Amino acid sequence: MTTAATLPTPTSTSPSARQVWTRARGVVLGVVILLVGAVTIAVINSGTRRGGLDPRSADPRGSRAVATLLAERGVSTRVVTTLAEASAAADADTTLLIAVPDLLTDRQQRQLHTAAEGSGGRTVLVAPGSPSVGTLAPGVTADPAISFHSKLSPDCGLPAARRAGTADTGGFRYDTSATDADTCYPSDGLPTLVRVPAVTGNGDTVVLGAPDILYNDRLDEHGNASLALQLLGSRPHLVWYLPSLSDDSLSDSGERSFFDLIPSGWLWGTLQLFFAAVLAAFWRARRFGPLVPERLPVAIRASETVEGRARLYRKTNARDRAAVALRSTTRTRLAPLVGVPVPQAHAPEALLPALSAHLHDHGDGQSLHALLFGPPPGDDAALISLADQLDALEREVRRP
């Protein structure tokens, strides 16, 4: 049988290295830009933001300057990173500063408030949002709209605020139901600094709407230094609580779910992206409902259709579909030549005996079965070889 004869070496249809690069260079360029941007941002941030609100850091957003000024006035500063240390440090001679109250869980906030409530000391909350401010400073609520005015005037009777004058306290705005509370530095009618006296004893809680007066690069502006020193230097000892992920008290994972740990801005952003994707899909839609056939305005040559379908097969690596199409078409053309009805052309028990009888001793049924009904080719070269063998078989059958 001629199908067993040596055939010419097929030409590979695998894309060349240049074609692969042309197709992938856009993706590669995008990945390189993202990597370069990420490394650049990491390098920039690593040199400027190593200790936000850390009294040991000399970076612009650190607080070493205020700790140094307090030390010159005889106030000691100690940094703690666990809830147990912060709770144990609360007493009448101590000011407890909580740098990032919103990082604490509800249970941590309640425990810390219980420890500081009757200690007689001062608790300073730096920019607490809702609902943490309501737990750490009962009776105080955070307004959803923050203040975009940084420099504000005291407009209150609190001696520390009156001596300091204008300061950068703009940020969270608060409201309080405590009648004896001091409400200072108002922005659009709501204060950005609130001092709430303790129910019993001489202690109090100071709620600060923004951390700007504690930053190294903002301490020398307006009355920031005066206000910071008066708020933090009213007691001989200052305990600076920086919440840490290594704190054992965070093991109560049941307090917060995964979605509680995601900032609300990310959730709203995801929702907006979802609606944007829906609108984009609606905008890009070409038609709605079932497809409607229509006559083409021009005639398309069969060779162009075949070439277009072949390119689609190649693009998706659909060698199995291509092999099925080649074998099915070959069987359909061979059946009438060997006296088999076309409806039975795809039945091996009907086509193969007639084909073997027509070819006489040029082949056997097993090789014909593998050629016409065999498994799909494993690569492009095998697919080309299959096409050549099918073509040779058809020429052999048509030969007189």
Side-chain angles (χ1 to χ4, degrees):
M1 176 180 176
T2 55
T3 55
T6 302
L7 298 173
T9 303
T11 303
S12 175
T13 59
S14 300
S16 63
R18 184 174 182 179
Q19 291 175 326
V20 173
W21 166 246
T22 302
R23 296 175 183 177
R25 62 185 177 184
V27 177
V28 174
L29 181 61
V31 172
V32 170
I33 293 175
L34 288 177
L35 290 177
V36 172
V39 172
T40 303
I41 294 174
V43 171
I44 294 175
N45 288 342
S46 64
T48 59
R49 301 193 64 180
R50 292 174 295 179
L53 279 181
D54 192 330
R56 300 162 297 186
S57 173
D59 292 335
R61 287 296 183 265
S63 301
R64 184 175 177 179
V66 68
T68 301
L69 294 177
L70 288 171
E72 294 175 354
R73 288 159 176 77
V75 179
S76 64
T77 301
R78 179 166 65 96
V79 177
V80 299
T81 58
T82 64
L83 178 65
E85 292 176 315
S87 300
D91 58 42
D93 295 331
T94 301
T95 298
L96 176 61
L97 182 144
I98 306 175
V100 192
D102 291 347
L103 291 182
L104 302 175
T105 65
D106 295 338
R107 189 189 66 82
Q108 287 178 313
Q109 293 172 6
R110 291 193 298 268
Q111 181 177 337
L112 198 57
H113 173 68
T114 302
E117 184 178 18
S119 65
R122 168 171 287 181
T123 302
V124 178
L125 309 176
V126 181
S130 177
S132 61
V133 66
T135 304
L136 293 168
V140 180
T141 57
D143 191 81
I146 65 175
S147 171
F148 293 100
H149 303 288
S150 177
K151 179 182 175 182
L152 298 173
S153 300
D155 293 338
C156 68
L158 183 65
R162 295 179 64 86
R163 287 192 291 267
T166 58
D168 293 320
T169 60
F172 281 104
R173 304 186 308 153
Y174 302 100
D175 193 8
T176 178
S177 58
T179 56
D180 55 348
D182 294 304
T183 55
C184 305
Y185 297 97
S187 174
D188 295 330
L190 291 178
T192 58
L193 187 150
V194 178
R195 189 192 75 89
V196 182
V199 178
T200 59
N202 297 323
D204 58 8
T205 299
V206 176
V207 182
L208 187 62
D212 295 43
I213 66 171
L214 304 177
Y215 288 151
N216 291 329
D217 62 345
R218 303 291 293 275
L219 192 63
D220 60 344
E221 299 179 5
H222 315 303
N224 293 349
S226 175
L227 182 60
L229 293 177
Q230 292 182 84
L231 293 180
L232 304 183
S234 63
R235 270 77 172 170
H237 304 292
L238 171 62
V239 174
W240 201 293
Y241 180 27
L242 294 172
S244 171
L245 294 177
S246 61
D247 192 350
D248 294 337
S249 62
L250 283 173
S251 59
D252 58 329
S253 57
E255 291 285 341
R256 287 189 176 187
S257 65
F258 171 77
F259 293 100
D260 293 331
L261 300 177
I262 300 178
S264 58
W266 285 88
L267 297 177
W268 284 110
T270 303
L271 183 61
Q272 292 175 5
L273 288 176
F274 171 76
F275 283 112
V278 172
L279 291 176
F282 184 83
W283 168 61
R284 295 291 297 175
R286 289 294 182 264
R287 66 177 75 221
F288 301 95
L291 297 177
V292 178
E294 57 180 339
R295 300 185 61 181
L296 295 176
V298 294
I300 300 178
R301 293 185 299 175
S303 60
E304 294 182 2
T305 304
V306 172
E307 184 178 355
R309 178 170 294 185
R311 287 178 177 176
L312 291 176
Y313 283 155
R314 180 184 177 186
K315 185 176 182 180
T316 58
N317 290 325
R319 287 184 290 269
D320 54 345
R321 289 179 172 269
V324 168
L326 290 173
R327 284 168 168 155
S328 176
T329 302
T330 301
R331 293 194 300 264
T332 302
R333 289 200 295 258
L334 290 177
L337 299 177
V338 296
V340 176
V342 174
Q344 299 182 12
H346 308 293
E349 62 276 6
L351 179 63
L352 294 181
L355 191 58
S356 298
H358 185 82
L359 295 173
H360 303 293
D361 56 350
H362 291 281
D364 55 67
Q366 185 176 0
S367 60
L368 290 175
H369 186 279
L371 180 60
L372 294 172
F373 298 94
D379 52 28
D380 291 345
L383 179 61
I384 294 176
S385 177
L386 174 64
D388 291 340
Q389 294 179 39
L390 291 173
D391 186 56
L393 175 61
E394 187 173 348
R395 288 200 305 268
E396 176 68 15
V397 173
R398 291 180 181 275
R399 183 180 301 172

